[in-house]
Amino acid sequence: MSDKQPEGTGEPTVPDDVWERFARDSERDIRDSAPKEPSARARMVTERLRQQDARETERASRRNARKNTQRTARPEGWRTGPTWREMDGRAARRRRLWAIIGVPLALAVVVVAMKPSLLPGDPFGTSADASADRTPLPAETAAPTAPPSGTNSGSPTRGRPFAGSPAERWADGAAGIVVPKATAVGALTKDQVATGLRQTKNLLVGANLDRATLRGARPGTAIAVLDPRQPGMIHDVNRRLRAPDREHNPLTLFSRFDPDEASLVGDVVKTRGRMTFKEGKDASVAIHADYTFVYPVSPAGGKSTVVTRTIVRRVLEITLLDPRKFHVTPGRLTIAHFAEDIGNSACDVYDGFLHPQFGSATAGSAPPTGPTVDPYDRSRDIQHSDTSDCGTVSRT
């Protein structure tokens, strides 16, 4: 190798051994700095370590999840509780629930307070005898053989005006006047008999249950069913109402109270009796009506708590005549006989009104001189209107 420079270049020359060493060193540096492919064992070790790290990470995640669940399901501590919004929500639900339950519950309490016997077993012992004593009686179909044997407990009040009376089991008002089934009798057809029975009930209602009549007004509905062709009947009725006296007493036919002295308690008058019919003379129909009416009354004004009862029993004999043979008005009634029995009214007062006694004798009335009678006893014969004795009632 020559150390001389080539002519005409002007650049120094590099000896061959230097170039050879430079090339060898450069190749070694390039080989050392280049990426190396890992061996198969190195790859296995690396993968095992990666899987182990993944398992550890998964176990740690599961432990954290269990801890969070335990913290969520842990019972509330005695110092801790739900957040205020949860409490407010629960309270609102409770209020809605009590609003739904509270109204029926309050109504049930009121009903039980008014009628404790509705409770199973009757824990207050209020219905042992009262409920049985107040059971409505069946309609009367025949004459009783004895007076009512027992009475309900208690005394009459404005809320229970029939307490202590057999009438508490009787029917209310017109419901107690049961009209029998009509049949053809004598010369009268079934329809004619039915009309007579219905008009007899109208007469009883108008004379003894009509509110205007009971307050002392003219008993127009009762008079309207009477036959104007019956000699002297309408004239006699008008005379009794216009100028009542001992001989012309309207109480023989009508129940009337002086509104300045007494007022009815409640809207119910108790009624019990029976109505029958059969063939009479001259192929007529004889209707028999026997009824007792019980009137609860209090001193006029409506402020008194004193309540008593006046009892009136009436017997009527009605005759239905064949209009083809007799001078009568079809559909009107002919009264053949009437009688009354009055309990708890002043004696020897003939002003056309009933005068109940409220605990003591009514002023201006005579003391009773007749026998003591039970006004509820429907088994005995009624006293006739011409009886002069005024007796004492055993109960009202």
Side-chain angles (χ1 to χ4, degrees), residues 61-83:
S61 298
R62 290 177 180 176
R63 285 194 299 270
N64 292 334
R66 283 196 297 270
K67 291 179 180 179
N68 292 335
T69 301
Q70 292 174 355
R71 283 195 297 267
T72 302
R74 183 180 60 189
E76 299 172 358
W78 69 276
R79 290 185 179 275
T80 63
T83 62

Side-chain angles (χ1 to χ4, degrees), residues 107-120 122-127 130-132 134:
L107 290 176
V109 171
V110 172
V111 171
V112 171
M114 295 177 64
K115 193 173 183 181
S117 60
L118 293 176
L119 289 176
D122 189 24
F124 302 110
T126 58
S127 63
S131 61
R134 297 169 70 178

Side-chain angles (χ1 to χ4, degrees), residues 85-218:
R85 290 188 181 275
E86 292 174 340
M87 291 177 65
D88 183 70
R90 294 176 187 174
R93 287 193 296 272
R94 284 195 296 267
R95 286 194 296 269
R96 288 194 297 269
L97 179 61
W98 278 111
I100 296 173
I101 298 176
V103 173
L105 181 60
L107 290 176
V109 171
V110 172
V111 171
V112 171
M114 295 177 64
K115 193 173 183 181
S117 60
L118 293 176
L119 289 176
D122 189 24
F124 302 110
T126 58
S127 63
D129 297 324
S131 61
D133 291 343
R134 297 169 70 178
T135 303
L137 292 174
E140 184 178 287
T141 57
T145 58
S149 58
T151 60
N152 297 322
S153 60
S155 299
T157 63
R158 299 192 73 88
R160 190 182 164 195
F162 299 100
S165 162
E168 194 161 33
R169 301 180 62 190
W170 293 6
D172 294 352
I177 304 175
V178 179
V179 175
K181 184 178 180 181
T183 60
V185 175
L188 275 70
T189 65
K190 176 181 177 180
D191 289 342
Q192 288 174 316
V193 174
T195 299
L197 294 172
R198 185 172 62 253
Q199 289 288 65
T200 300
K201 178 173 181 176
N202 292 337
L203 173 60
L204 290 167
V205 171
N208 302 280
L209 297 173
D210 182 84
R211 305 302 286 192
T213 300
L214 296 178
R215 295 190 182 100
R218 178 179 173 81

